[in-house]
């Protein structure tokens, strides 16, 4: 079988510091000038950027524009005008809503300006006094018992950073920051369990890229605010590093599952590795190749995610789709956030001794030599199991997340237990279960719709040469329609994935607890491949990474083009073909085996 030549970003051989200063800082200066000229009427790709209901935007603007000030040479002719522009923009955004993350970003900007001796020149005394009242962790945390106000668990880390930055500015003493740090670490320990990865919920078992990123963010905030990072946190960071290195690839792809990915799936890998390098959690050899991979992530951002014609990151055009949280109304803020992540990560790499260093040329051979062909990382074990399997097949990396618990996301395909890989298998943000990607869906005669998404138990795995397998059981399926997963024990399932070079097989054995009337059994595969030809349950593609998709246990399969339908847009681009398989109404009284096979090249 002829294997695919992997994508390599055109700028992959250039030092990160060069990419940041020659490609990203000019973009910040573009926004700086655009805000100076257009002020409250600024429009970015048709979006009125300051009338967008982005609740973090003032802080993102303050930080992004702060990077421009800090990069303007002291004593230069440009600095007085830049300081005046910063004051004007701050005045313009002062009364805008600015919550949680926006508070953190704003305080980080103020702290950096203070350290550079520019704070009083960049902001009027009246504005600083108003900001001291507005930029407070108490706006999203109850001071008495330190409980979050209607926010997910990762915001404890934000609150700690806010209190610490306020202390550095002289706005409060260190007692509250210490209280919030204790709360943050206790909460992290409680909901990360024995394996050290943060549950996105309060023990309901939903994990995603943020579960792996959060420990790096906590460590980074220690570094930013002058605190020594405890050994326990270094050990947890090392676990996150191992996941990222197991996912690493020559293309600069990062996390491909869970919500809010797109470029954030790539930047998360950069953030984790940069703080790990700075803290010497990586050994010298790992640092060199981690840096090389991180450079490729930045180079990919410039080639894939940044659109020069828009002067913006583009997560919404070219057939791409994001979740509502990162919808296009946030376009200006998303630019500032991503550029800040790369700037701050680059600074950590510079401090670790990599300023101006060219990336290594043999990343793929190092990955093949040092990273396991198969790994399974546990997130939780108990009544329900949660884990992430990673399979390397040449330059291709598959991530199989068994992570789907908790409210709100259980019906969306980015959280399904699927072998996610760029251009082969992807989820669709906020998809819902209407086109349940690669999961058999049972529609019962009473109107119930059931999917095998959320109740994994007894996860097992093994390898035989170049063949790897993962198996698990679910004593109940998820009855769709509710905000949270709902156990329906009328059907149970045993699932087995088999990975071989160029081939993935999923085998499900479904068993009814009692005879059931099934109105329809269906399976959908939304694919990036094109020119399909379907015969007897097998769909062959003439173009694309997937060469053949075969489904067994169904009456009929057909393949049709998606024709740009929004329901088939992934974070990275449009799916072009949808394969639909179905079985007509039947009485489900004996176990049935349903299988699909993906052959890729």
């Amino acid at each position: 079988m002829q294997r695919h030549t992997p994508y390599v970003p055109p700028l992959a051989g250039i030092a990160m510091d060069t990419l940041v200063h020659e490609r990203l800082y000019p973009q910040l200066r573009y926004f700086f000038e655009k805000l100076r000229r257009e002020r409250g009427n600024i429009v970015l790709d048709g979006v009125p950027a300051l009338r967008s209901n982005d609740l973090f935007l003032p802080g993102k603007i303050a930080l992004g524009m702060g990077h421009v000030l800090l990069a303007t040479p002291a004593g230069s002719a440009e600095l007085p005008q830049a300081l005046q522009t910063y004051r004007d923009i701050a005045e313009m955004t002062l009364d805008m809503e600015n919550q949680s993350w926006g508070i953190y970003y704003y305080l980080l900007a103020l702290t950096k300006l203070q350290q550079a001796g520019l704070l009083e020149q960049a902001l009027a005394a009246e504005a600083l006094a108003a900001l001291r009242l507005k930029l407070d962790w108490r706006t999203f945390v109850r001071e008495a018992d330190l409980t979050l106000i209607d926010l997910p668990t990762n915001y404890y880390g934000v609150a700690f950073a806010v209190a610490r930055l306020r202390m550095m500015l002289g706005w409060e003493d260190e007692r509250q920051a210490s209280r919030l740090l204790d709360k943050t670490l206790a909460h992290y320990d409680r909901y990360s369990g024995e394996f050290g990865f943060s549950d996105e919920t309060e023990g309901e078992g939903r994990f995603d890229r943020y579960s792996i990123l959060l420990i790096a963010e906590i460590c980074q905030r220690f570094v930013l605010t002058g605190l020594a990072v405890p050994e326990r946190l270094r050990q947890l960071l090392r676990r996150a590093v191992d996941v990222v290195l197991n996912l690493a690839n020559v293309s600069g792809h990062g996390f491909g599952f869970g919500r809010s990915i797109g470029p954030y799936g790539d930047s998360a890998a950069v953030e984790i590795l940069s703080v790990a390098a700075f803290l010497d959690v990586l050994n010298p050899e790992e640092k060199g190749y981690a840096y090389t991979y991180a450079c490729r992530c930045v180079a990919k951002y410039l080639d894939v995610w940044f659109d020069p014609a828009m002067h913006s990151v583009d997560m919404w055009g070219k057939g791409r789709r994001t979740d509502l949280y990162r919808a296009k109304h946030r376009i200006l803020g998303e630019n500032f956030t991503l550029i800040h992540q790369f700037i701050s990560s680059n600074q950590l790499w510079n401090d670790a001794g990599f300023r101006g260093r060219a990336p290594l040329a043999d990343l793929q051979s190092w990955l093949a030599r040092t990273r396991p062909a198969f790994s399974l990382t546990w997130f939780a074990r108990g009544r329900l199991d949660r884990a992430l399997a990673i399979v390397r097949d040449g330059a291709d990396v598959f991530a199989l997340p068994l992570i789907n618990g908790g409210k709100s996301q259980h019906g969306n395909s980015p959280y399904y237990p699927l072998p996610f890989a760029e251009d082969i298998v992807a989820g669709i943000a906020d998809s819902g279960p209407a086109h349940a990607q690669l999961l058999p869906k049972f529609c019962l005669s009473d109107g119930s719709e059931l999917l095998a998404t959320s109740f994994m138990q007894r996860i097992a795995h093994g390898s035989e040469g170049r063949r790897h397998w993962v198996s698990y059981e679910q004593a109940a399926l998820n009855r769709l329609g509710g905000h949270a997963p709902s156990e329906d024990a009328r059907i149970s399932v045993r699932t087995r994935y088999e990975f071989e070079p160029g081939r993935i097989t999923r085998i499900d054995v479904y068993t009814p607890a009692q005879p059931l009337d099934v109105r329809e059994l269906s399976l959908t595969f939304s694919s990036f491949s094109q020119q399909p030809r379907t015969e007897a349950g097998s769909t062959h593609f003439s173009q694309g990474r997937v060469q053949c998709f075969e489904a067994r246990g169904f009456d009929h399969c057909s393949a049709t083009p998606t024709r740009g339908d929004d329901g088939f847009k992934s974070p990275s681009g449009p799916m072009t073909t949808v394969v639909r398989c179905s079985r007509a109404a039947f009485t489900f009284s004996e176990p049935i085996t349903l299988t699909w096979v993906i052959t890729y090249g």
Side-chain angles (χ1 to χ4, degrees):
M1 178 190 302
Q2 185 177 0
R3 294 310 301 266
H4 168 72
T5 300
Y7 161 79
V8 174
L11 302 177
I14 298 178
M16 185 184 295
D17 194 60
T18 302
L19 293 176
V20 166
H21 281 89
E22 294 186 1
R23 300 298 184 110
L24 295 180
Y25 270 101
Q27 185 61 21
L28 284 180
R29 294 187 184 99
Y30 168 82
F31 290 128
F32 194 83
E33 286 302 309
K34 191 172 178 67
L35 277 163
R36 183 184 64 81
R37 293 191 314 269
E38 300 178 20
R39 297 179 60 81
N41 296 318
I42 184 173
V43 173
L44 189 58
D45 201 42
V47 176
L50 263 61
R51 298 190 293 274
S52 62
N53 198 35
D54 182 345
L55 301 179
F56 310 148
L57 186 56
K60 293 180 179 182
I61 291 174
L63 184 55
M65 300 302 89
H67 282 303
V68 175
L69 277 190
L70 293 167
T72 304
S76 68
E78 294 82 10
L79 185 57
Q81 179 60 56
L83 287 164
Q84 182 62 52
T85 298
Y86 195 91
R87 283 194 297 271
D88 292 344
I89 293 171
E91 291 284 350
M92 181 178 65
T93 62
L94 191 59
D95 292 329
M96 290 174 57
E97 185 77 13
N98 187 40
Q99 298 181 4
S100 55
W101 274 103
I103 293 171
Y104 165 71
Y105 290 133
Y106 215 131
L107 287 168
L108 184 58
L110 299 184
T111 304
K112 289 179 176 293
L113 291 172
Q114 182 190 61
Q115 292 168 345
L118 294 174
L119 183 58
E120 283 72 25
Q121 299 174 68
L123 286 156
E126 296 82 1
L128 274 173
L131 289 169
R132 181 171 181 170
L133 294 176
K134 292 168 69 74
L135 303 178
D136 198 326
W137 54 270
R138 297 167 184 85
T139 61
F140 59 99
V141 177
R142 299 175 184 90
E143 184 173 8
D145 60 0
L146 300 186
T147 55
L148 291 163
I149 302 172
D150 299 325
L151 289 170
T153 60
N154 63 68
Y155 280 79
Y156 278 116
V158 180
F160 155 66
V162 166
R164 183 73 181 166
L165 291 168
R166 284 176 60 87
M167 185 270 300
M168 293 175 70
L169 287 166
W171 291 358
E172 62 180 70
D173 61 35
E174 65 179 355
R175 288 177 298 173
Q176 300 293 5
S178 296
R179 288 182 67 211
L180 282 163
L181 175 59
D182 291 343
K183 183 73 171 181
T184 299
L185 297 181
H187 195 272
Y188 189 95
D189 283 342
R190 179 179 180 185
Y191 292 111
S192 63
E194 61 180 303
F195 302 107
F197 298 97
S198 178
D199 192 335
E200 277 282 271
T201 64
E202 294 194 352
E204 297 169 8
R206 186 178 79 220
F207 297 82
D208 58 18
R209 58 113 194 165
Y210 212 93
S211 303
I212 301 160
L213 172 62
L214 183 57
I215 187 60
E217 286 193 346
I218 292 173
C219 290
Q220 188 182 57
R221 286 168 192 148
F222 271 70
V223 172
L224 286 172
T225 60
L227 289 173
V229 179
E231 181 59 28
R232 165 64 175 160
L233 298 190
R234 290 171 179 265
Q235 293 172 358
L236 294 175
L237 180 59
R238 179 67 220 194
R239 297 182 187 182
V241 164
D242 285 333
V243 173
V244 173
L245 290 180
N246 288 344
L247 286 170
N249 55 85
V250 298
S251 302
H253 304 320
F255 294 92
F257 60 90
R259 63 183 173 88
S260 294
I261 48 172
Y264 287 92
D266 306 337
S267 67
V270 177
E271 290 187 280
I272 292 167
L273 294 177
S274 64
V275 71
F278 176 82
L279 293 172
D280 291 324
V281 172
L282 298 162
N283 66 42
E285 180 180 90
E286 288 174 329
K287 282 185 184 180
Y289 289 99
Y291 169 74
T292 297
Y293 170 49
C295 286
R296 296 202 176 197
C297 293
V298 178
K300 178 193 168 187
Y301 173 81
L302 293 166
D303 182 49
V304 172
W305 296 112
F306 178 71
D307 186 332
M310 290 172 58
H311 285 284
S312 173
V313 64
D314 185 6
M315 296 185 273
W316 313 277
K318 304 179 180 69
R320 299 167 184 164
R321 174 170 166 167
T322 62
D323 51 15
L324 183 61
Y325 178 75
R326 295 202 192 277
K328 196 173 181 179
H329 71 281
R330 288 179 53 166
I331 183 171
L332 182 59
E334 299 307 324
N335 280 278
F336 288 138
T337 303
L338 286 160
I339 293 174
H340 166 69
Q341 289 176 354
F342 291 135
I343 287 174
S344 59
S345 295
N346 177 61
Q347 186 59 56
L348 289 168
W349 281 111
N350 288 347
D351 293 343
F354 284 79
R355 185 189 302 272
R357 186 179 299 189
L360 299 168
D362 58 340
L363 177 60
Q364 178 57 36
S365 62
W366 183 81
L367 292 170
R369 185 176 72 253
T370 63
R371 307 316 300 175
F374 176 89
S375 62
L376 188 132
T377 300
W378 287 101
F379 291 162
R381 300 186 80 171
R383 188 182 80 85
L384 300 176
D385 290 345
R386 298 290 185 256
L388 172 66
I390 299 173
V391 180
R392 307 186 69 88
D393 179 14
D396 289 312
V397 183
F398 295 89
L400 172 60
L402 308 176
I403 56 164
N404 189 336
K407 301 177 180 66
S408 76
Q409 292 290 343
H410 63 98
N412 294 329
S413 56
Y415 284 84
Y416 289 175
L418 304 178
F420 293 93
E422 193 77 13
D423 295 329
I424 298 175
V425 175
I428 298 168
D430 293 343
S431 64
H435 310 288
Q437 176 77 311
L438 286 169
L439 293 185
K441 181 166 67 173
F442 289 81
C443 298
L444 305 184
S445 59
D446 65 1
S448 301
E449 293 187 336
L450 311 182
L451 279 181
T453 59
S454 303
F455 304 108
M456 281 74 74
Q457 299 173 306
R458 290 178 281 281
I459 296 173
H461 61 92
S463 297
E464 300 158 6
R466 298 181 67 189
R467 180 170 167 269
H468 315 284
W469 59 268
V470 178
S471 68
Y472 56 93
E473 301 173 17
Q474 296 185 71
L477 302 191
N478 179 15
R479 185 167 63 253
L480 302 170
H483 191 53
S486 176
E487 293 185 68
D488 194 318
R490 289 179 291 176
I491 302 176
S492 61
V493 61
R494 290 183 288 112
T495 299
R496 180 182 174 96
Y497 272 105
E498 297 178 354
F499 295 86
E500 305 167 78
R503 182 182 175 94
I504 303 170
T505 302
R506 174 176 169 133
I507 305 165
D508 288 309
V509 179
Y510 288 92
T511 300
Q514 59 193 40
L516 294 170
D517 291 328
V518 177
R519 187 174 70 236
E520 184 185 37
L521 173 60
S522 62
L523 178 69
T524 299
F525 174 40
S526 304
S527 175
F528 299 100
S529 293
Q530 302 176 57
Q531 298 182 11
R533 176 176 51 84
T534 300
E535 295 179 1
S538 294
T539 300
H540 298 268
F541 297 93
S542 297
Q543 291 184 5
R545 296 296 317 279
V546 174
Q547 298 172 338
C548 181
F549 175 73
E550 179 182 0
R552 305 170 195 152
F554 300 89
D555 298 332
H556 174 74
C557 293
S558 62
T560 57
T562 61
R563 295 187 175 89
D565 188 321
D566 282 348
F568 300 102
K569 293 178 178 178
S570 81
S572 61
M575 283 100 161
T576 53
T577 303
V578 56
V579 180
R580 295 181 175 90
C581 301
S582 62
R583 178 174 173 178
F586 67 101
T587 299
F588 186 14
S589 57
E590 299 292 336
I592 60 172
T593 299
L594 303 175
T595 303
W596 58 251
V597 181
I598 289 176
T599 304
Y600 60 92

